[in-house]
Amino acid sequence: MSRTTRTRLRLGLGASAFLLAAGLIPSPAHAEDVTDYSITVDPGTKGAKIDKTMYGVFFEDINRAADGGLYAELVQNRSFEYSTADNTSYTPLTAWTVSGSAQVVDDDGRLNARNRNYLSLGAGSSATNAGYNTGVRVEEGKKYDFSVWARADGGTALTVSLQDADGTLAAARQVKVGESGWAQYKATFTATRTSSNGRLTVGSSAAAALDMVSLFPRDTYKHEPNGLRKDLAEKVAALHPGFVRFPGGCLVNTGSMEDYSEASGYQRKRSYQWKDTVGPVETRATNSNFWGYNQSYGLGYYEYFRFAEDIGAMPLPVVPALVTGCGQNKAVDDPALLKRHIQDTLDLIEFANGPVTSEWGKKRARMGHPKPFHLTHIEVGNEENLPTEFFARFTQFRAAIQAKYPYMQVISNSGPDDAGSTFDTAWQLNKDAKVDMVDEHYYNSPQWFLQNNDRYDSYDRSGPKVFLGEYASWGNAFKNGLAEAAYMTGLERNADLVKLASYAPLFANEDYVQWSPDMVWFNNHASWGSANYEVQKLFMTNVGDRVVPSTATGTPSLLAPITGAVGLSTWNTSAAYDDVKVTDADGNTLLGDDFSGDASQWTHTGGGSWAIQDGQYVETSDTAENTMVSAGDPSWHDYDLHVKATKKSGKEGFLVAFGVKDTGNYYWWNLGGWNNTQSAVEQAVDGGKSTLISKAGSVETGRAYDVDIKIRGRQVTLYLDGQEWGSFKDDKPAEPFRQVVTKDKKTGDLIVKVVNAQSSGARTAIDLGGAKVASKARVTTLAAAPDAVNTETNTAVAPVTSTFEGVADRFTYTFPANSVTFLRIRQK
C-alpha cells in the first residue's frame, strides 16, 4: 500500500442539458428523438484478446484478513506468542483471562523451538479466551473441534467449556492428559445456542502446560481441519477470480530478511517468508505483522495454494527482494542472505510444482497434496522506493528462476505510485531488461479514475505487460465503485497490455481496520460485499474473451478557474509560519498576516494545536496529522500566495494549501512528505487525495523557506526560495460516461458495458455495426445514490437483472443515473 493519491475536477451537468444551454444543438421538436450519447460498435474487427486470468484478487493479511478473518480459527493468541513486538499493547496473555494461577513461560520445556511460549496453568486454575470481535461465534446445532497440546507430570484432567454471559453454549468436555510429555488432545462440541459472544475456557485439576489451544468450526470451506471461514471464502469464490495474489503487500518488503531461528535471535519483525508458513501448524513460526498485530501463519502458503485451486484461480505468490519499502526504504546488502532468499524462491516453485520425489514436492505431498499446484507466475518484490537497488536484486532472482524454470513468468514492479521519478526509473529499468510484466499500484480519488480512463492507451506495446496489482479509489461508497467501473472499461479496452488486475485490499474486519477502503467487510458473525465488490463481481463474471472495438461520444465540460481560500497544515511535524500574504492578479492585497497580533483570521478545522509564538503561527504537535487552518474566501481565484515556513521538529515537513473550499476539498503543496523523502502537490476531493506532481527532496529542520504559489485559471506555478520548483495545469476533464464492448465466445453474446457516473440518465443511441442480434437482451444494472454504502444490515448497492426487448442493429437505451449497466446481446 502507499499513501499517495491523485484527483481532479468533475462537473455534473448532463450532456444534452449542457449542449442545449450552450446553444450547440437546436431545441428538439420531439424530445424522444434526442439522445445524450451515441455508441458505435465494430463487430467485424477483432479487438484485443482478454485472458481468462485478467481479473483476480489480492489477499494481504491487513485488517485482520487472516487470523480473525479468512482463517477459521476461533481462538485468538492460541499459542501465547503475542508480544509487544507485534503491538505495544500486547502481552503473551492478550485475549486470555486467568482464574487461579497461570503464567506464560519461555524455557526449554516448550513444545518446539519455533513455538517459544506456553502456558503453565496451576492446579485448580483455568484460562478463558475471548476470541475476536465480541467473542467466539457459535451457531446452534453446529459442531466445533477443540484441540490442545498439553503435558502434565503425573497426568491431569482438563475441563473444556463454551459459554457466554447468558450461560452454557455447549456441553462441557473432559480431556484426560497422559504422563508422556507433550501430546495433542481433541474434543468436539455441538452448540446448543447461537452466540457471537462466546468464551472458551480450559481448566485443569492439576498443574499442566498448555499450547496451541484451538477451536475450529467443523463447517469450513472445502477442507478441515485448519480450514477457511466459509462465508468469506465463498464471497471470493463468487467473484470467479482468475488469480490470487498473495501474501503482500507490505508484508513482503518490510522488516528483517533473516529467518526465525536461534542464529538470528528469533527476530519477530520479519518479511513474510514462505518456509515459516508450511508444515504442521504447531511448528510454524510466529511473526509480527506490519499492520500492528500478530501473524500465527496458520493460514500459510499451502492453504493459499489450495484455496486458489479450490476456486479455479491461478496462484500468484510474491517473494521478498531484500529491499524494504512501505516507509522503511532500505536495501539489504548481504550476498549470502540474498543467495538464501533466491534459493528459497526456487524451493517455493518446487513446493508448488515439483514431483513427489523432489525434496519440497515430497513435503507438499505429506501435507496432503501430491499433485502439483501448476504455478506459472511469480512476483519478486513489492512497491520498492529504491528502484535501482531493487532492480539489481530482481535481475539475480529472475536469472536464477528462469535458468531452472524457463516457463515461469517473473513479475517486477514500478514502486508505490502511478507516476513520478521512482515510477519512471523503475519502468525504464524494466523496459531495458525486457521484463515480462510490471506490477503497478495506486490508490487515487474517484476523479482521477474518471480522468485517466485512457492511461494505458499510449503505453508501449513492445515493452513489458502490465499487472495492475493494487488499485482502488478512496472510499466504499457507490461513487467510488462507479469511478472504478469507468476505469475498468479502459483496462479491458487495453487487454492486450493490461494482463492482470486486482482491487485491493480484499478483506477488512470492521473492528480491526488499518486501511480503508476494502472490498469485503466482516465481523465474527457476518460478512458483506462493499459497493466496490459488486462492481468487481459484475466485471469478473462477465469478462468475455475478446474486445469488440467501439467508440462513444463524450460529455462536454466547462472547466472554471481554480477557486478557494488558503491554508496551512502539518503532518507528524511541528512547524512555524509567518508573513502570509495573498494578492490578486492586479497586485491588490487580499490577505496579510505577520502574526504580530492574534490568529483571528484563521479557522482551525484539523487536528493538532496552534498558537502564536514569537510572532509566528506555530503548530506545536509533531505527532498530529492534517492540522489544517484556513483563511480567506472560497471564491478567490487568480491569486498569488506567499508564506514563510519553518520546520521545528518531527518526521516530515510542512503543507501550504490553496484552492481550499472545505475540509475535504483543497490542494496543498506537501513539502518534505513521505517521511521527509519527497515533495508533491496533492489534491483532495471529497476527502480523497491524489498526487498531481511530485519530486524527491527533503526539508531541513530550523531553516526558514519562502514558499510562493501562483494560480492563474487552472495553471499553478510553485516557487521555493525564489526558484521555480514546478508547475501543472489541472484541466483534464473527468468523463462520467464510459463504455467497452466484449464478446463471449462460449455464448456468442456481445456484452455492452456502460458506466454513467452522473446524476441524470443518459439516453444513448447504440449502433451495433450491422451485427445480426436477437431482439432481447439480458440486462444487469447496478444503480444507487452516489453516497450509498453497503453495510451488514443494508445492501444499498446490489445487481438487478431484467430483460430489454428493444434490441436491433440500431436502438436506443437510457442508462440510469449513477449506474453500471451490462447488456448481454445474443448474436444470431
Side-chain angles (χ1 to χ4, degrees):
M1 308 299 168
S2 63
R3 207 188 78 187
T4 55
T5 47
R6 180 180 303 250
T7 188
R8 292 178 179 65
L9 177 72
R10 170 189 161 200
L11 299 180
L13 188 63
S16 60
F18 178 88
L19 290 168
L20 286 165
L24 299 178
I25 60 174
S27 179
H30 300 287
E32 64 270 17
D33 295 332
V34 177
T35 56
D36 301 316
Y37 297 92
S38 64
I39 295 174
T40 304
V41 183
D42 182 6
T45 302
K46 274 191 172 184
K49 181 179 180 295
I50 305 174
D51 295 341
K52 295 183 185 301
T53 52
M54 178 166 184
Y55 293 126
V57 294
F58 165 44
F59 180 92
E60 178 175 5
D61 188 358
I62 184 174
N63 310 312
R64 287 277 189 195
D67 296 332
L70 183 62
Y71 187 49
E73 174 66 77
L74 297 172
V75 175
Q76 185 179 176
N77 190 18
R78 65 184 178 186
S79 60
F80 311 100
E81 297 291 336
Y82 276 28
S83 162
T84 53
D86 309 322
N87 188 296
T88 55
S89 68
Y90 282 1
T91 75
L93 281 173
T94 292
W96 293 92
T97 55
V98 172
S99 176
S101 63
Q103 62 177 335
V104 175
V105 180
D106 175 3
D107 65 14
D108 291 341
R110 64 179 64 87
L111 179 60
N112 60 63
R114 280 152 63 97
N115 197 330
R116 308 293 293 168
N117 292 346
Y118 64 93
L119 183 69
S120 176
L121 192 63
S125 301
S126 64
T128 298
N129 191 267
Y132 297 94
N133 301 93
T134 55
V136 175
R137 166 70 174 183
V138 296
E139 295 181 49
E140 182 179 355
K142 291 195 173 181
K143 293 184 182 298
Y144 296 84
D145 293 322
F146 168 82
S147 65
V148 63
W149 283 81
R151 63 173 170 80
D153 296 337
T156 188
L158 301 180
T159 301
V160 189
S161 61
L162 272 169
Q163 67 286 319
D164 63 10
D166 295 326
T168 300
L169 292 172
R173 292 287 181 264
Q174 296 290 321
V175 177
K176 290 186 178 181
V177 176
E179 303 178 22
S180 57
W182 285 108
Q184 188 179 40
Y185 301 91
K186 299 179 180 180
T188 298
F189 292 95
T190 301
T192 55
R193 284 191 297 114
T194 294
S195 175
S196 298
N197 308 306
R199 300 290 187 269
L200 176 74
T201 298
V202 182
S204 181
S205 59
L210 306 179
D211 206 344
M212 295 296 292
V213 182
S214 174
L215 187 69
F216 261 87
R218 179 75 58 83
D219 188 19
T220 55
Y221 185 75
K222 300 282 189 183
H223 304 278
E224 54 90 16
N226 206 50
L228 305 182
R229 180 170 150 175
K230 195 171 185 179
D231 63 322
L232 295 181
E234 287 176 343
K235 279 188 169 55
V236 179
L239 296 169
H240 298 290
F243 65 88
V244 183
R245 179 175 179 254
F246 175 96
C250 288
L251 304 189
V252 167
N253 67 336
T254 55
S256 168
M257 299 294 165
E258 300 285 351
D259 61 2
Y260 191 63
S261 68
E262 183 178 9
S264 66
Y266 294 104
Q267 295 188 38
R268 285 293 292 270
K269 294 188 175 184
R270 309 182 312 283
S271 63
Y272 196 110
Q273 299 175 46
W274 79 272
K275 289 180 180 178
D276 287 344
T277 76
V278 296
V281 290
E282 68 273 9
T283 67
R284 298 183 189 180
T286 189
N287 200 9
S288 172
N289 181 291
F290 174 80
W291 299 106
Y293 51 89
N294 178 269
Q295 290 174 282
S296 73
Y297 287 144
L299 173 55
Y301 255 87
Y302 175 74
E303 290 76 22
Y304 151 65
F305 280 133
R306 193 174 61 181
F307 180 50
E309 181 181 69
D310 288 341
I311 62 177
M314 176 182 79
L316 204 166
V318 188
V319 298
L322 274 72
V323 177
T324 58
C326 299
Q328 297 182 359
N329 302 338
K330 178 183 177 183
V332 179
D333 188 13
D334 185 334
L337 191 59
L338 176 62
K339 184 178 179 181
R340 193 267 287 175
H341 274 266
I342 291 172
Q343 185 58 51
D344 281 355
T345 302
L346 298 175
D347 292 344
L348 172 61
I349 298 170
E350 184 176 286
F351 178 76
N353 293 352
V356 296
T357 54
S358 66
E359 178 186 358
W360 289 99
K362 184 183 296 183
K363 292 184 180 182
R364 180 194 69 239
R366 285 175 179 169
M367 292 186 73
H369 202 286
K371 292 182 179 179
F373 284 114
H374 305 295
L375 182 66
T376 58
H377 293 62
I378 194 164
E379 183 171 356
V380 178
N382 170 77
E383 289 189 7
E384 283 73 23
N385 274 309
L386 304 172
T388 303
E389 293 86 341
F390 159 72
F391 206 75
R393 290 154 179 79
F394 171 84
T395 53
Q396 294 184 62
F397 276 88
R398 184 174 71 150
I401 293 168
Q402 294 189 333
K404 188 169 184 180
Y405 302 102
Y407 61 84
M408 191 67 58
Q409 279 213 26
V410 186
I411 301 171
S412 180
N413 75 83
S414 58
D417 305 311
D418 61 87
S421 58
T422 296
F423 179 89
D424 293 339
T425 300
W427 255 107
Q428 192 60 54
L429 289 167
N430 285 310
K431 284 182 179 178
D432 291 346
K434 295 181 169 51
V435 168
D436 293 330
M437 192 177 294
V438 176
D439 186 2
E440 294 189 355
H441 294 179
Y442 37 84
Y443 296 86
N444 290 325
S445 72
Q447 299 305 102
W448 186 92
F449 284 96
L450 292 175
Q451 289 172 312
N452 286 278
N453 180 273
D454 62 350
R455 175 179 176 89
Y456 295 110
D457 291 2
S458 58
Y459 268 50
D460 180 4
R461 263 48 190 179
S462 65
K465 304 299 184 184
V466 172
F467 172 21
L468 181 49
E470 296 183 30
Y471 74 98
S473 72
W474 287 113
N476 276 144
F478 189 49
K479 64 186 175 185
N480 302 98
L482 284 170
E484 290 153 6
Y487 195 72
M488 292 171 81
T489 66
L491 299 182
E492 291 193 6
R493 187 176 64 251
N494 287 283
D496 63 315
L497 175 82
V498 182
K499 307 306 288 184
L500 306 168
S502 49
Y503 178 101
L506 176 58
F507 286 127
N509 185 319
E510 65 174 353
D511 292 333
Y512 309 94
V513 180
Q514 294 86 41
W515 182 279
S516 183
D518 303 285
M519 188 153 59
V520 176
W521 290 78
F522 64 93
N523 49 39
N524 66 353
H525 62 273
S527 59
W528 56 98
S530 63
N532 319 66
Y533 173 86
E534 295 298 342
V535 166
Q536 293 289 325
K537 185 177 179 182
L538 185 58
F539 274 84
M540 291 167 79
T541 55
N542 292 277
V543 182
D545 304 281
R546 188 174 291 278
V547 176
V548 180
S550 64
T551 56
T553 52
T555 307
S557 62
L558 183 64
L559 293 173
I562 292 173
T563 60
V566 299
L568 310 170
S569 189
T570 60
W571 197 291
N572 287 328
T573 305
S574 173
Y577 296 92
D578 202 357
D579 298 336
V580 177
K581 188 173 183 180
V582 181
T583 55
D584 66 17
D586 296 323
N588 301 308
T589 299
L590 301 176
L591 172 71
D593 203 334
D594 63 3
F595 303 108
S596 57
D598 57 27
S600 58
Q601 297 187 83
W602 298 85
T603 301
H604 184 192
T605 57
S609 181
W610 290 82
I612 300 289
Q613 294 181 359
D614 300 323
Q616 296 179 313
Y617 200 20
V618 181
E619 197 288 305
T620 58
S621 170
D622 60 10
T623 58
E625 298 180 349
N626 194 1
T627 63
M628 179 84 81
V629 292
S630 60
D633 191 329
S635 67
W636 282 350
H637 61 89
D638 297 292
Y639 58 80
D640 297 314
L641 167 62
H642 170 79
V643 179
K644 192 174 286 292
T646 306
K647 173 183 175 178
K648 294 175 72 69
S649 65
K651 296 179 179 178
E652 304 208 353
F654 35 79
L655 301 125
V656 178
F658 57 97
V660 179
K661 292 182 171 58
D662 52 46
T663 56
N665 294 274
Y666 54 86
Y667 300 79
W668 68 19
W669 188 3
N670 184 350
L671 286 145
W674 294 267
N675 288 322
N676 205 15
T677 61
Q678 62 178 308
S679 298
V681 177
E682 297 177 279
Q683 184 186 15
V685 176
D686 296 334
K689 291 197 296 294
S690 299
T691 302
L692 305 185
I693 181 175
S694 68
K695 294 182 180 182
S698 59
V699 167
E700 297 175 25
T701 301
R703 174 183 166 187
Y705 291 85
D706 284 308
V707 178
D708 290 275
I709 302 172
K710 180 180 181 179
I711 303 160
R712 294 295 184 269
R714 302 199 67 80
Q715 178 73 42
V716 178
T717 309
L718 307 111
Y719 301 87
L720 191 62
D721 288 337
Q723 300 296 313
E724 183 173 331
W725 177 87
S727 65
F728 65 92
K729 192 171 186 179
D730 183 18
D731 62 352
K732 193 171 185 179
E735 174 57 64
F737 186 86
R738 294 292 186 185
Q739 103 299 331
V740 71
V741 181
T742 64
K743 182 178 179 179
D744 187 326
K745 184 178 179 181
K746 184 176 180 181
T747 64
D749 291 352
L750 290 175
I751 313 172
V752 180
K753 311 174 187 183
V754 176
V755 180
N756 180 26
Q758 56 192 336
S759 58
S760 57
R763 185 171 169 80
T764 306
I766 301 174
D767 183 346
L768 296 179
K772 292 184 170 36
V773 293
S775 61
K776 293 182 181 180
R778 192 166 87 245
V779 184
T780 306
T781 307
L782 289 171
D787 292 327
V789 175
N790 287 351
T791 67
E792 178 182 351
T793 56
N794 180 35
T795 306
V797 181
V800 175
T801 57
S802 61
T803 300
F804 176 68
E805 300 189 1
V807 178
D809 177 39
R810 297 182 179 182
F811 67 100
T812 301
Y813 190 91
T814 299
F815 296 96
N818 301 307
S819 67
V820 183
T821 306
F822 281 28
L823 300 170
R824 291 194 72 113
I825 301 170
R826 182 64 54 86
Q827 293 189 93
K828 291 181 178 178

